[in-house]
Amino acid sequence: MLTTINIPQLDINDYINGSAEEKKRFSDEIGQAFNDTGFVTVSNHGLSKQLIADLYAEVKNFFSLPDEFKLKYQIPELAGQRGYTTKGKEKAKDAKTPDLKEFWQSGQTVTDGNPIRADYPDNIIVEELPRFNEVTLQVYKSLENAGKHLLRAISVYLQLDENYFEDKVHNGNSILRGIHYFPLDNPESLPADAVRAGAHEDINLITLLIGASADGLEVLTRNGEWYPVKADAEDIVVNVGDMLQRLTNNKLKSTTHRVVNPPQEFMKTSRFSVPFFLHPKLNVDLTCLSSCIDGDHPKAYSDITAGEYLDERLREIGLK
């Protein structure tokens, strides 16, 4: 029998527009879940049903392009941070076999004249699909906005100023990733350890995942069991990344998760997934918060900036 684990469904509207009592309850619930399992599902996140449908349609359109078109948008010196990354590139940290996926990434669009603009490569424009560029930008902005509200609730839970993360994530190095877990005609010929996404933790502060086109996401419980995460089609799944775990000295959990292969007869079908990785600016200090360090919880991590940590992790997963 599977253990029941704490992955609550939360309504972000309770925090944004709720009474003081509702805001506190939302903050306590997300904090407790992030303390327990590192995962919640969230409704009323600001993405309409239509926008989600448009996003998946455009992501499918992009990955349906012939390889020679997609490869025009692969820029190796950007380490996958913008544009297209082909099959066989990324692997989970410590894994031998690459994940069974290809992906697209777009990043921050700085519009307020901030000099940080010079730190970020330009987003890649897909000439063949003008709507793809518009929809992904709109989704990026919507998820960035939802993520900022979630970070406010987390700040309150951590007894920090509600706006603790505001200046750290404004014009932050966040990434929207469209993933295609491609169909396999000969699944029986795969290496035994080949999976859609190997067991891993995310690098960033929090990840906001728009419901994938098929099941497969699983989290590793504290007693070592894999537990399937299911969300309503319109909800987003939100989880803690390693940067937030590091900052909070392991108070908030960056839980190991994976995307498993479906039964063999479904390996011939595509699965699409669109996570938004909310990152701070590169120069943000991830030194453990002093409020999260005590006699029972000694400081677990060395001091590092978000940019240094990202660089280290991109090397570990084979993108640099």
Side-chain angles (χ1 to χ4, degrees), residues 230-257:
K230 297 201 186 292
D232 288 350
E234 289 160 50
D235 286 359
I236 56 176
V237 177
V238 183
N239 64 278
V240 175
D242 283 352
M243 288 185 182
L244 187 58
Q245 174 171 272
R246 198 177 180 108
L247 186 71
T248 63
N249 197 38
N250 296 328
K251 183 176 173 68
L252 304 184
K253 301 283 183 296
S254 175
T255 301
T256 304
H257 53 286

Side-chain angles (χ1 to χ4, degrees), residues 57-75 82-85 103-106 122-137 176 178:
E58 290 305 323
V59 166
K60 283 178 190 172
N61 287 342
F62 175 76
F63 289 113
S64 301
L65 290 172
D67 282 352
E68 63 266 27
F69 286 95
K70 289 186 288 193
L71 287 167
K72 283 192 313 191
Y73 300 113
Q74 178 156 277
I75 303 164
R82 298 292 184 275
Y84 175 65
T85 297
F103 59 89
W104 173 275
Q105 291 200 161
S106 46
D122 290 339
N123 279 316
I124 310 294
I125 302 303
V126 180
E127 292 157 14
E128 296 82 357
L129 300 171
R131 189 88 181 99
F132 175 88
N133 308 306
E134 293 162 21
V135 169
T136 49
L137 177 62
L176 183 72

Side-chain angles (χ1 to χ4, degrees), residues 25 44 73 135 141 173 201 269 279:
R25 186 168 64 241
N44 283 323
Y73 300 113
V135 169
K141 290 295 177 198
N173 188 34
E201 300 77 46
T269 56
H279 281 260

